[in-house]
Amino acid sequence: MNVRDEQLLRELNLYPLWVRRGVPVQEEVVPASVGMEGSPQVKTAAPVEMVMPVAELPEIAAIPEVASLDWTALKEKVRDCTACKLREGCTQTVFGVGDEQADWLFVGEGPGAEEDAQGEPFVGQAGKLLDNMLFSIGLKRGDNVYIANIVKCRPSNNRVPEADEIATCMPYLRQQIALIKPKLIIALGKTAATALLGRDAPLGSLRGTTYDYHGTPLIITYHPAYLLRSPGEKAKAWQDLKSAVALMQ
Ligand code: URA
């Protein structure tokens, strides 16, 4: 194992791997092995077969014509948006970043302080962990990957966005999804999961299922910021990523 792989596994809290003598190593706890150019090889989990439709989304506040906008017009619309109170408290809108024809779409909650300053999602500490999570399954920001948030403006003091703010902003994400046409959506954390599924439930109970988001498979995993606070949960996120890879194969 090279130093970079070791660092990555440490970051994911999966290294060193302690094995009690006489107890066979289970497939699931072997997260990766060296073998691929530049990134660890992923041992995939069995494909997830169950697909549940998402519940009907609650009525979303109308932002006229969003559904007909192309990338340029959508970016302008988001940049100029003052449809909810979040815009008053943020420096700039944070549209999203990456490959506009990506197969993989990762959706977070909303910009934090650093994202608000830089205008790009996931550029702070949580973003570094997200980049490592991407790397662990052979992905890279901007390369077949798009990263967006449920709300495009930073909620002050990093509070959770409110239901009306989410409802107002959702048409933008819906249109981003329509334009990207990803093969898989990964919701990062409870806010993204709740907004995309249209229902509230503990995040742990939402994991492990593949949902049908208006025709696109959707899976749920932990938010990187949560994983930074609760590193013991990183192994579960790793399982979710392996399921995602299996699904994509
Ligand atoms: N957390 C998020 O949900 N999104 C970001 O862009 C940054 C932190």
Side-chain angles (χ1 to χ4, degrees):
M1 182 176 298
N2 65 32
V3 173
R4 190 154 179 224
D5 289 341
E6 195 180 303
Q7 277 171 348
L8 170 74
L9 296 181
R10 278 186 200 286
E11 181 61 40
L12 290 172
N13 207 37
L14 293 166
Y15 186 90
L17 181 63
W18 297 99
V19 183
R20 215 181 303 156
R21 234 179 287 169
V23 178
V25 177
Q26 291 172 0
E27 180 94 342
E28 297 85 272
V29 297
V30 182
S33 59
V34 184
M36 281 160 59
E37 264 297 305
S39 68
Q41 196 173 11
V42 177
K43 282 182 190 267
T44 56
V48 184
E49 277 162 24
M50 188 175 163
V51 177
M52 283 174 40
V54 292
E56 271 308 298
L57 290 169
E59 213 38 57
I60 49 180
I63 299 181
E65 293 153 18
V66 169
S68 66
L69 300 180
D70 63 14
W71 278 112
T72 308
L74 183 63
K75 284 173 190 172
E76 277 172 20
K77 188 92 182 163
V78 169
R79 187 196 60 206
D80 299 339
C81 183
T82 54
C84 84
K85 57 189 178 301
L86 286 181
R87 186 66 187 91
E88 289 160 21
C90 74
T91 308
Q92 58 185 318
T93 57
V94 178
F95 182 77
V97 70
D99 181 347
E100 292 176 355
Q101 291 164 348
D103 289 339
W104 298 76
L105 171 62
F106 290 79
V107 180
E109 177 179 297
E114 291 185 61
E115 291 77 19
D116 179 64
Q118 294 188 40
E120 180 172 329
F122 284 99
V123 290
Q125 283 307 311
K128 290 198 180 86
L129 178 55
L130 178 60
D131 285 338
N132 281 344
M133 291 164 74
L134 295 177
F135 177 78
S136 75
I137 51 170
L139 296 176
K140 205 167 85 183
R141 177 186 293 247
D143 185 0
N144 203 21
V145 171
Y146 197 91
I147 304 172
N149 280 311
I150 294 292
V151 295
K152 311 302 190 207
C153 292
R154 182 193 180 205
S156 48
N157 304 318
N158 293 336
R159 67 168 170 79
V160 175
E162 291 166 7
D164 63 310
E165 296 158 350
I166 292 172
T168 305
C169 218
M170 274 305 278
Y172 296 138
L173 180 62
R174 288 283 290 271
Q175 187 58 7
Q176 285 176 303
I177 294 170
L179 291 169
I180 296 167
K181 301 186 187 65
K183 291 199 178 131
L184 179 65
I185 303 170
I186 301 184
L188 301 166
K190 188 169 157 70
T191 300
T194 304
L196 289 167
L197 291 176
R199 69 184 155 96
D200 196 1
L203 190 115
S205 71
L206 297 173
R207 292 177 52 246
T209 299
T210 305
Y211 302 89
D212 178 347
Y213 185 74
H214 303 279
T216 306
L218 162 70
I219 68 163
I220 314 288
T221 192
Y222 292 104
H223 192 288
Y226 170 78
L227 295 174
L228 289 173
R229 294 192 303 273
S230 310
E233 303 285 52
K234 286 181 182 175
K236 291 185 193 163
W238 172 248
Q239 293 298 324
D240 299 335
L241 293 176
K242 284 204 299 182
S243 296
V245 170
L247 206 63
M248 289 295 255
Q249 284 168 350

